[in-house]
Amino acid sequence: MPAAADAVFTADFPAASADGVRRADVVLVGAGIMGATLGTLLKQLQPDLTIRVLERLDKVALESSAADNNAGTGHGANCELNYTPLQADGSVSVAKAIAINTAFERSLEFWSSLVAQGLLPDPRTFITPVPHISFVRGAADVAYLKQRHSQLGKLPAFAAMAFSEDPAVLASWMPLVMAGRDPAEPVAATRLIRGTDVDFGRLSEALFKALSCAPGVALCLGHQLEDLRQRPDGSWDLQVRRRRDGVLLPMAARFVFLGAGGGTLPLLQKSGIAAAKGYGGFPVSGQWLVCTNPVLVALHRAKVYGKAALGAPPMSVPHLDARCIDDQPSLLFGPFAGFSSRFLKQGSLLDLPRSIRPDNLGAMLSVGIRHADLLRYLIGQLAQSDGDRHRTLRTFMPTADPADWRLETAGQRVQIIKTLPGQGGQLQLGTEVVTAADGSLAALLGASPGASTAVVAMLELLQCCWASAMASAPWQQRLRQLMPSHGIDLDRDAEALARSRSRSDQLLRLR
């Protein structure tokens, strides 16, 4: 990847017009997994597009997509209990789990196709098979997990899920979690072997490396989008600042994608599109306890998810993860929440106050009142000592020695606050695509399970903003080549799911 930001920026640009403006068909703002996915899809579907990627930092994937800034779980809803909430009638809602599982299957299928084309490297550089386990304690939660297993186990996507309350079986699945545990305490777990740990940082790097080699594409590192305005013809004027020397470079694009993680909301607000009205954001930072003791790391080859504490938000679901970051095998436990008014890890303390506007102030205040439990949770997290965090760890790993663990700061997440007609402000825990009415601009807001569902999120974006092209025979044919299950409901078609998994099992080295 070229090191000279200016050379990258000017490489492969058409000659500047008389007004000095550099033009492109598509500008992608933010060099993370979302921009990498959208750029790759567009180049696969329409190779003659000119694409410019703007990234304010000097490397790709340094914010939300970086391995040490996220949990790395390939979110297939195998173990994340917050995706299957208990209902008042005693049943478990599985709709969200099904949708997320299907979305991740699409991602696996897409990545498999890119590996086959030679556009992605050896899958071992970015994806590792790791069993996904849900673990609960106490009679009530054991009953819940049994009900969850009963309902999910009837679906083809989760048919291989195993359930056990036998301590000996559980000890074979997760020895560190069971060692030293009170034998009288009711416990249960489910396990799916077909889980993954994904290094979305390395995956993003690989996608951008391939994308930047394609004709008509330039990766512009060290360049920050400062402002954007729509022209009468629907195209966009962009003011881009080269951070090295502060020079402003005017650009123009027919389509703009704002995929800058926490930096997306301020840019969306500057766009002035009607759909941006009423959106706000609440930043939450994260911390992990990290262990690199090789003896312990070798004993825990799983991602074990529990249940959030009573009154805690879904984002606080505790998990003990086997990870490999920068080729260093490790264990991560958390997350522990923190607070910073920054929208990006390398952002400004003024990000939050600058985002408050008359159209979202009411929504943000109403969310603050309605979600007092979240504020109490954050205050409690901020007040935690090292001893408090290690006591929480011991609920998962009773024999944990504080000497084996260190505290590290993860990335920033900006939770969506959305104004809904007649309902005031709502806290949205997920990802959401916001588009201009004419389809000339799109933005991705929110957090988990974003990276894992990037392919489906970007296909939905294309359906909104590139509807005519998406309906065309050439694009549909190409999509079926990239993802043979495209257009098929994998939840209802067990044979199609089996075919899709047969292809992606090669990516996961399961066959």
Side-chain angles (χ1 to χ4, degrees), residues 121-152:
D122 186 334
R124 286 174 291 188
T125 61
F126 64 87
I127 190 166
T128 304
V130 177
H132 285 186
I133 296 175
S134 301
F135 171 67
V136 296
R137 302 176 297 128
D141 284 345
V142 168
Y144 155 77
L145 191 65
K146 187 178 292 186
Q147 176 66 23
R148 178 182 184 270
H149 175 258
S150 175
Q151 290 181 228
L152 286 178

Side-chain angles (χ1 to χ4, degrees), residues 252-267:
R254 292 192 297 114
F255 174 78
V256 177
F257 171 62
L258 305 177
T264 295
L265 178 61
L267 294 172

Side-chain angles (χ1 to χ4, degrees), residues 257-480:
F257 171 62
L258 305 177
T264 295
L265 178 61
L267 294 172
L268 179 61
Q269 292 174 327
K270 289 181 179 181
S271 74
I273 66 171
K277 300 295 184 184
Y279 276 99
F282 186 80
V284 178
S285 62
Q287 295 177 311
W288 297 95
L289 286 174
V290 180
C291 170
T292 54
N293 181 327
V295 175
L296 298 177
V297 171
L299 287 172
H300 187 80
R301 294 301 304 156
K303 290 180 178 286
V304 182
Y305 276 58
K307 284 194 75 178
L310 187 64
M315 71 186 77
S316 67
V317 171
H319 40 107
L320 181 62
D321 281 10
R323 296 295 312 274
C324 188
I325 298 175
D326 294 332
D327 299 319
Q328 171 68 64
S330 60
L331 302 180
L332 270 66
F333 178 76
F336 299 97
F339 176 76
S340 167
S341 58
R342 292 181 174 92
F343 279 0
L344 292 165
K345 194 172 182 179
Q346 301 186 56
S348 166
L349 290 171
L350 296 176
D351 287 342
L352 176 58
R354 284 173 177 164
S355 74
I356 299 174
R357 301 189 172 201
D359 63 81
N360 66 20
L361 178 59
M364 295 183 73
L365 290 174
S366 66
V367 164
I369 295 170
R370 186 178 298 126
H371 291 277
D373 57 339
L374 173 58
L375 295 178
R376 286 193 297 270
Y377 167 74
L378 287 175
I379 292 170
Q381 290 279 293
L382 290 170
Q384 281 192 325
S385 65
D386 288 342
D388 294 329
R389 283 185 282 266
H390 286 113
R391 278 187 287 275
T392 302
L393 169 62
R394 288 193 193 98
T395 65
F396 248 67
M397 182 181 166
T399 59
D401 182 348
D404 291 320
W405 299 81
R406 67 180 186 274
L407 187 67
E408 291 192 357
T409 300
Q412 287 286 105
R413 298 291 183 267
V414 178
Q415 303 297 328
I416 306 167
I417 293 175
K418 182 178 182 181
T419 304
L420 298 178
Q423 300 180 49
Q426 296 288 326
L427 187 66
Q428 308 284 105
L429 299 174
T431 51
E432 184 163 339
V433 175
V434 181
T435 61
D438 63 0
S440 64
L441 180 142
L444 187 88
L445 299 174
S448 180
S452 300
T453 60
V455 173
V456 165
M458 294 302 98
L459 288 174
E460 292 174 352
L461 181 154
L462 290 175
Q463 191 61 56
C464 289
C465 298
W466 300 66
S468 296
M470 281 288 282
S472 68
W475 276 38
Q476 285 297 310
Q477 180 181 10
R478 184 60 183 138
L479 283 170
R480 285 191 291 272

Side-chain angles (χ1 to χ4, degrees), residues 76-78 97-98 101 148 152-161 192 501:
N78 301 322
I98 293 169
N101 185 273
R148 178 182 184 270
L152 286 178
K154 297 173 185 176
L155 305 173
F158 302 96
M161 180 184 287
L192 262 171
R501 287 187 168 181

